[in-house]
Amino acid sequence: KKKKKKKKKKKIYKEKMKYTVLATLFASAQAFAPTFGVARSNMALNADLIETMKTAQGPHICWGSEGVMAGYEENDIKGYDNLNNLVAAIEKAGLTDALKSGEYTILAPVDSIVEQMGADKFTEDVLKYHVIPGKHTVDSISGDMETLNGKKLTYSRKFRKTFLDDTILGQESNYGGGSGYPCNIEADNGIIHIVSTPVDPSFEVLNAEAGLGGVV
């Protein structure tokens, strides 16, 4: 009889342990299960303007006809036109700390155009002309914009596109055979608009008939 009682107690103990383990596993599963129908708060971007430009992906570049001989289709992606040259110019001009000290919107020319024009052309004065105090999406721009340079960028809306001086913001067409130019890229302390052409402090609108670059 004693042996039967011991066996019965062991069986009851095992059953209790089994349910305890199952209950623990269920509770753990509930704790880590995703919740549906609950709005998530936006995560902090954790990257300032400089860091965001370092990792931003510009328009892609296609191989074009030169890629055919190498075994590629003309529209195969060769690489991306990023912002490394611009970041290098900003660092060389000593503007890194300034661009971390407030909220700014940056017109960011791609690597290819900076290389084409020559990095030495992007002086501190020219770079400041690419920086607008405050956060401004393309859709929110509706007038001339003050820059860190002290001179204003001239706003215009034509051909269903937004221009500052003669530079298009949110350019969708890439005549080099790639994708459009990303805009409204958010950083913790600002917004970046990647552009195909830089702006120049010497820009002037001569008259109502003036074309791009202020040339009649």
Side-chain angles (χ1 to χ4, degrees):
K1 288 183 179 179
K2 286 182 179 180
K3 286 182 179 180
K4 285 182 179 180
K5 284 183 179 180
K6 283 183 179 179
K7 285 182 179 179
K8 191 174 182 181
K9 283 182 179 179
K10 282 184 179 180
K11 188 176 181 181
I12 292 170
Y13 177 74
K14 285 181 179 179
E15 289 295 322
K16 283 184 177 178
M17 288 300 294
K18 180 180 176 182
Y19 287 118
T20 301
V21 171
L22 288 172
T24 303
L25 291 172
F26 180 76
S28 299
Q30 287 293 99
F32 291 98
T35 53
F36 297 96
V38 179
R40 294 181 178 179
S41 59
N42 288 329
M43 298 291 289
L45 298 178
N46 294 322
D48 58 36
L49 283 163
I50 300 297
E51 293 304 316
T52 301
M53 283 193 288
K54 286 180 179 179
T55 59
Q57 182 172 286
H60 70 248
I61 305 164
C62 293
W63 276 97
S65 57
E66 69 178 47
V68 176
M69 295 298 292
Y72 296 97
E73 296 290 334
E74 288 191 17
N75 60 350
D76 282 348
I77 296 175
K78 181 180 182 181
Y80 295 87
D81 211 356
N82 296 327
L83 306 175
N84 300 319
N85 290 340
L86 176 64
V87 171
I90 289 171
E91 291 173 342
K92 184 178 180 181
L95 291 175
T96 303
D97 289 340
L99 295 181
K100 292 182 177 183
S101 64
E103 292 188 343
Y104 300 104
T105 296
I106 296 181
L107 308 185
V110 291
D111 283 341
S112 60
I113 192 66
V114 175
E115 183 177 349
Q116 180 183 325
M117 293 186 65
D120 58 313
K121 299 286 181 66
F122 289 81
T123 62
E124 179 181 348
D125 193 48
V126 170
L127 289 168
K128 284 183 175 180
Y129 193 58
H130 288 76
V131 182
I132 304 166
K135 292 183 176 183
H136 306 278
T137 61
V138 173
D139 289 341
S140 72
I141 296 173
S142 58
D144 295 352
M145 305 298 290
E146 194 78 49
T147 70
L148 282 188
N149 169 283
K151 187 179 177 184
K152 288 185 177 181
L153 290 157
T154 303
Y155 166 82
S156 61
R157 180 73 184 170
K158 49 195 175 187
F159 317 121
R160 297 182 180 179
K161 294 176 176 62
T162 296
F163 287 78
L164 285 176
D165 289 356
D166 55 4
T167 296
I168 302 172
L169 304 189
Q171 182 177 329
E172 296 179 0
S173 299
N174 185 336
Y175 303 107
S179 58
Y181 293 78
C183 60
N184 300 329
I185 301 171
E186 290 189 69
D188 279 348
N189 67 319
I191 294 176
I192 300 160
H193 304 306
I194 298 180
V195 295
S196 62
T197 55
V199 287
D200 190 326
S202 65
F203 176 86
E204 288 184 12
V205 178
L206 300 181
N207 55 51
E209 299 299 320
L212 298 182
V215 179
V216 177

